[in-house]
Each structure stands twice: as C-alpha cells, then as structure tokens.
Amino acid sequence: MKITVTDAASKWFRDEMGMTGRGIRFFGKVYGKTPVHQGFSLGMTPDDNPRDPIVAEKKDDVTYYITEGDQWFFVGYDLTIDYDPETDGPTYIYDDNGELDR
C-alpha cells in the first residue's frame, strides 16, 4: 500500500485548499461508492497531527496519509491522487498491481 500524488494534484491542494505545510488524512466513509467499494466512499480532511499513520507521502511540503484505523478501506490497493480539470478537483485511482487476482 502506498500513496502517490501527481504534480497537478499537489498544485491543486496547495492553491485551492491552502495546504502548504499541513497534512491531509484520507479515510473510508459510509455511503457512496468507489471503483473498488460499494456503499463506501473516500473522504479527506485537513489533519496536521497524524495518529498511527500506516502510509504517508510528503510532496511539496504537504503530508498525505492514511491512519491505521482506515487501513481496511485501502488494503490491497495503492492510491494515486491526480487532478481532473473537468471537475477542477482531485481524482483517485486505486491500483491493486494484480495482487488481488492471485
């Protein structure tokens, strides 16, 4: 499990959310859907005090992370955070690297 943040996504988080020098926690939440979960969606929140991070990626002075309590949502997947110009916001790509097919 790892987090990758593209340059375009990093710019969006810094410019639109003012996240320079801060942290963003990603978590699973009830309701919605993702390409890999029915009934659950991905949430994010500014959080500058990571507690029990299991994975983190620092890019352009912003720390993107997932905590131990949300590991269930991401098990078996790498998360790539990109920018979608059509929605003018982040988009999330889940990659199992073929591991779930084994």
Side-chain angles (χ1 to χ4, degrees):
M1 175 184 328
K2 70 178 181 176
I3 297 174
T4 303
V5 181
T6 67
D7 292 341
S10 176
K11 181 177 181 351
W12 186 87
F13 279 101
R14 287 179 287 120
D15 293 351
E16 298 300 321
M17 292 187 65
M19 293 306 299
T20 301
R22 303 198 58 206
I24 299 176
R25 180 173 59 92
F26 293 94
F27 57 93
K29 62 182 188 172
V30 177
Y31 302 116
K33 70 176 190 167
T34 70
V36 296
H37 296 293
Q38 288 288 5
F40 297 95
S41 60
L42 180 77
M44 68 168 174
T45 189
D47 188 340
D48 301 334
N49 300 303
R51 290 173 202 85
D52 302 319
I54 57 166
V55 64
E57 172 71 19
K58 189 165 188 168
K59 184 173 180 96
D60 300 324
D61 203 29
V62 178
T63 302
Y64 303 85
Y65 66 94
I66 299 164
T67 62
E68 185 176 359
D70 289 299
Q71 181 175 5
W72 66 271
F73 188 82
F74 302 95
V75 166
Y77 296 98
D78 293 335
L79 178 66
T80 297
I81 304 161
D82 200 358
Y83 170 76
D84 181 352
E86 285 188 27
T87 62
D88 188 29
T91 186
Y92 306 100
I93 302 158
Y94 302 84
D95 184 1
D96 70 4
N97 294 314
E99 291 182 27
L100 297 179
D101 297 332
R102 294 182 194 148

